[in-house]
Amino acid sequence: MFDQAIKEIEGSGDIIGTPRSFQDYVAETKLGNKRTAQYISINSISDLTSELKNSGYMVFRLGSPKGSRNTEFALAKAVESWADYFFIDEDIFSNSELEVFLPSASIRSLFAFQLLPTLTETSIVNLAMASGLLTEALGIEQDNNQSIPATGQSVFTFDFQPTSHSNEVLTHNQGQVEIDALFVGKRKGKECLFVIEAKSGKEFDSLAKHKLLYPMLALQNNIPAYMEVIPVYLRTIRKEGYIEFNIAECSIPRRNGVFGALNELKTEKISRFSLHGY
């Protein structure tokens, strides 16, 4: 699928390709009818085609430029490792011990979560908040006013830098961005904005870092410059009789109000809790 695009980048000596229409590329390379989302909507390493994985390239879905109905894409080389563009669960969580979390919240406030046969990712974030698990993991000062996470989904346009190893900037044009959870909490006496990307599964996997960075970039111009922004990756795994919460508090440079390159999004603190009865 992407052999030709990879050859073009390798021949140019660059590590980031030029954005182009996916359907135009398919037509030019005579690849037949291909569904756009299947090849360029990447959530984990396993979503990459074999030639991308073998060559060490990430593909970014970039939305559609004004006046065009075709979705664009661009490739970018992983310079150091796949950790440039992905959170790899085994690497970031496996060396930390799992602790039992005992909620201080009342049974009444958590009862509704026990009635549901399955919990959506939004419900799991709400459970983590309502039980006090997330505030404990993130060191948020507790008070009587419990934060209610905001969620959203819309189309946004913004620029982003895939890697600090290149000055190349890509534009995400009117592409859809989903925000799993967004809330404000006080930590060390300062109000902080927490941006959560939550994923559920049966085992460790990986997460494309742009799934966490895109919501931050979508909101970048509306966030006060003085407010610290804390990205958080939450991986939950359903076990027999309990839910395992793997929480990675992250950081990324913010220079003059602009967030840094995708590969600069790093994990800072890991917390792992088991919440029984769900």
Side-chain angles (χ1 to χ4, degrees), residues 55-71:
S55 301
Y57 278 90
M58 174 62 172
V59 57
F60 293 103
R61 183 172 183 162
L62 299 176
S64 303
K66 189 175 182 180
S68 173
R69 299 179 62 183
N70 291 333
T71 302

mmCIF file of all heavy atoms in Angstrom, residues 55-71:
data_model
loop_
_atom_site.group_PDB
_atom_site.id
_atom_site.type_symbol
_atom_site.label_atom_id
_atom_site.label_comp_id
_atom_site.label_asym_id
_atom_site.label_seq_id
_atom_site.Cartn_x
_atom_site.Cartn_y
_atom_site.Cartn_z
ATOM 1 N N SER A 55 9.324 -0.752 7.805
ATOM 2 C CA SER A 55 10.191 0.374 7.446
ATOM 3 C C SER A 55 10.286 1.421 8.547
ATOM 4 O O SER A 55 11.078 2.359 8.447
ATOM 5 C CB SER A 55 9.698 1.042 6.157
ATOM 6 O OG SER A 55 9.675 0.117 5.086
ATOM 7 N N GLY A 56 9.454 1.279 9.594
ATOM 8 C CA GLY A 56 9.501 2.228 10.698
ATOM 9 C C GLY A 56 8.826 3.550 10.412
ATOM 10 O O GLY A 56 9.307 4.600 10.857
ATOM 11 N N TYR A 57 7.691 3.518 9.697
ATOM 12 C CA TYR A 57 6.966 4.753 9.366
ATOM 13 C C TYR A 57 5.590 4.789 10.005
ATOM 14 O O TYR A 57 4.880 3.784 10.055
ATOM 15 C CB TYR A 57 6.807 4.894 7.852
ATOM 16 C CG TYR A 57 8.019 5.461 7.158
ATOM 17 C CD1 TYR A 57 9.020 4.630 6.687
ATOM 18 C CD2 TYR A 57 8.174 6.836 6.984
ATOM 19 C CE1 TYR A 57 10.145 5.133 6.058
ATOM 20 C CE2 TYR A 57 9.296 7.354 6.362
ATOM 21 C CZ TYR A 57 10.276 6.507 5.900
ATOM 22 O OH TYR A 57 11.397 7.017 5.284
ATOM 23 N N MET A 58 5.212 5.969 10.484
ATOM 24 C CA MET A 58 3.877 6.251 10.983
ATOM 25 C C MET A 58 3.109 6.969 9.877
ATOM 26 O O MET A 58 3.693 7.719 9.084
ATOM 27 C CB MET A 58 3.962 7.141 12.228
ATOM 28 C CG MET A 58 2.629 7.623 12.772
ATOM 29 S SD MET A 58 1.588 6.263 13.298
ATOM 30 C CE MET A 58 0.241 7.162 14.092
ATOM 31 N N VAL A 59 1.782 6.754 9.825
ATOM 32 C CA VAL A 59 0.943 7.485 8.883
ATOM 33 C C VAL A 59 -0.049 8.327 9.683
ATOM 34 O O VAL A 59 -0.638 7.863 10.649
ATOM 35 C CB VAL A 59 0.207 6.527 7.910
ATOM 36 C CG1 VAL A 59 -0.643 5.505 8.663
ATOM 37 C CG2 VAL A 59 -0.656 7.321 6.922
ATOM 38 N N PHE A 60 -0.190 9.593 9.278
ATOM 39 C CA PHE A 60 -1.102 10.516 9.950
ATOM 40 C C PHE A 60 -2.258 10.874 9.028
ATOM 41 O O PHE A 60 -2.053 11.229 7.866
ATOM 42 C CB PHE A 60 -0.370 11.805 10.346
ATOM 43 C CG PHE A 60 0.677 11.611 11.400
ATOM 44 C CD1 PHE A 60 2.017 11.574 11.060
ATOM 45 C CD2 PHE A 60 0.323 11.453 12.735
ATOM 46 C CE1 PHE A 60 2.986 11.386 12.025
ATOM 47 C CE2 PHE A 60 1.290 11.265 13.703
ATOM 48 C CZ PHE A 60 2.619 11.234 13.354
ATOM 49 N N ARG A 61 -3.451 10.781 9.560
ATOM 50 C CA ARG A 61 -4.641 11.255 8.853
ATOM 51 C C ARG A 61 -4.765 12.751 9.119
ATOM 52 O O ARG A 61 -4.782 13.178 10.277
ATOM 53 C CB ARG A 61 -5.879 10.509 9.341
ATOM 54 C CG ARG A 61 -7.159 10.886 8.614
ATOM 55 C CD ARG A 61 -8.304 9.970 9.002
ATOM 56 N NE ARG A 61 -9.503 10.293 8.252
ATOM 57 C CZ ARG A 61 -10.539 9.486 8.103
ATOM 58 N NH1 ARG A 61 -10.508 8.283 8.686
ATOM 59 N NH2 ARG A 61 -11.598 9.847 7.416
ATOM 60 N N LEU A 62 -4.880 13.552 8.058
ATOM 61 C CA LEU A 62 -4.756 15.008 8.196
ATOM 62 C C LEU A 62 -6.018 15.798 7.862
ATOM 63 O O LEU A 62 -5.961 17.024 7.769
ATOM 64 C CB LEU A 62 -3.607 15.506 7.304
ATOM 65 C CG LEU A 62 -2.221 14.932 7.627
ATOM 66 C CD1 LEU A 62 -1.201 15.432 6.625
ATOM 67 C CD2 LEU A 62 -1.806 15.277 9.055
ATOM 68 N N GLY A 63 -7.153 15.111 7.692
ATOM 69 C CA GLY A 63 -8.364 15.846 7.375
ATOM 70 C C GLY A 63 -8.371 16.305 5.926
ATOM 71 O O GLY A 63 -7.564 15.859 5.107
ATOM 72 N N SER A 64 -9.282 17.222 5.614
ATOM 73 C CA SER A 64 -9.453 17.685 4.228
ATOM 74 C C SER A 64 -9.239 19.187 4.124
ATOM 75 O O SER A 64 -9.882 19.958 4.850
ATOM 76 C CB SER A 64 -10.863 17.352 3.725
ATOM 77 O OG SER A 64 -11.128 15.972 3.829
ATOM 78 N N PRO A 65 -8.348 19.637 3.232
ATOM 79 C CA PRO A 65 -8.129 21.076 3.047
ATOM 80 C C PRO A 65 -9.413 21.766 2.578
ATOM 81 O O PRO A 65 -10.289 21.123 1.982
ATOM 82 C CB PRO A 65 -7.049 21.137 1.960
ATOM 83 C CG PRO A 65 -6.415 19.791 1.968
ATOM 84 C CD PRO A 65 -7.481 18.831 2.368
ATOM 85 N N LYS A 66 -9.511 23.048 2.841
ATOM 86 C CA LYS A 66 -10.680 23.817 2.431
ATOM 87 C C LYS A 66 -10.880 23.716 0.923
ATOM 88 O O LYS A 66 -9.944 23.878 0.155
ATOM 89 C CB LYS A 66 -10.499 25.283 2.843
ATOM 90 C CG LYS A 66 -11.756 26.130 2.644
ATOM 91 C CD LYS A 66 -11.544 27.529 3.190
ATOM 92 C CE LYS A 66 -12.817 28.358 3.037
ATOM 93 N NZ LYS A 66 -12.632 29.732 3.575
ATOM 94 N N GLY A 67 -12.095 23.410 0.521
ATOM 95 C CA GLY A 67 -12.410 23.287 -0.896
ATOM 96 C C GLY A 67 -12.227 21.896 -1.452
ATOM 97 O O GLY A 67 -12.500 21.647 -2.624
ATOM 98 N N SER A 68 -11.734 20.967 -0.610
ATOM 99 C CA SER A 68 -11.516 19.589 -1.060
ATOM 100 C C SER A 68 -12.344 18.632 -0.204
ATOM 101 O O SER A 68 -12.563 18.863 0.976
ATOM 102 C CB SER A 68 -10.035 19.210 -0.946
ATOM 103 O OG SER A 68 -9.842 17.835 -1.215
ATOM 104 N N ARG A 69 -12.787 17.557 -0.833
ATOM 105 C CA ARG A 69 -13.532 16.535 -0.099
ATOM 106 C C ARG A 69 -12.671 15.305 0.179
ATOM 107 O O ARG A 69 -13.124 14.344 0.784
ATOM 108 C CB ARG A 69 -14.775 16.123 -0.907
ATOM 109 C CG ARG A 69 -15.757 17.272 -1.152
ATOM 110 C CD ARG A 69 -16.951 16.815 -1.969
ATOM 111 N NE ARG A 69 -17.717 15.787 -1.279
ATOM 112 C CZ ARG A 69 -18.779 15.175 -1.803
ATOM 113 N NH1 ARG A 69 -19.177 15.491 -3.042
ATOM 114 N NH2 ARG A 69 -19.429 14.250 -1.122
ATOM 115 N N ASN A 70 -11.434 15.349 -0.277
ATOM 116 C CA ASN A 70 -10.539 14.206 -0.115
ATOM 117 C C ASN A 70 -9.685 14.327 1.146
ATOM 118 O O ASN A 70 -9.102 15.379 1.412
ATOM 119 C CB ASN A 70 -9.617 14.072 -1.326
ATOM 120 C CG ASN A 70 -10.372 13.641 -2.577
ATOM 121 O OD1 ASN A 70 -11.409 12.985 -2.485
ATOM 122 N ND2 ASN A 70 -9.866 14.015 -3.735
ATOM 123 N N THR A 71 -9.607 13.255 1.897
ATOM 124 C CA THR A 71 -8.798 13.218 3.107
ATOM 125 C C THR A 71 -7.327 13.056 2.748
ATOM 126 O O THR A 71 -6.961 12.228 1.910
ATOM 127 C CB THR A 71 -9.225 12.042 4.001
ATOM 128 O OG1 THR A 71 -10.613 12.195 4.323
ATOM 129 C CG2 THR A 71 -8.404 12.000 5.280
#
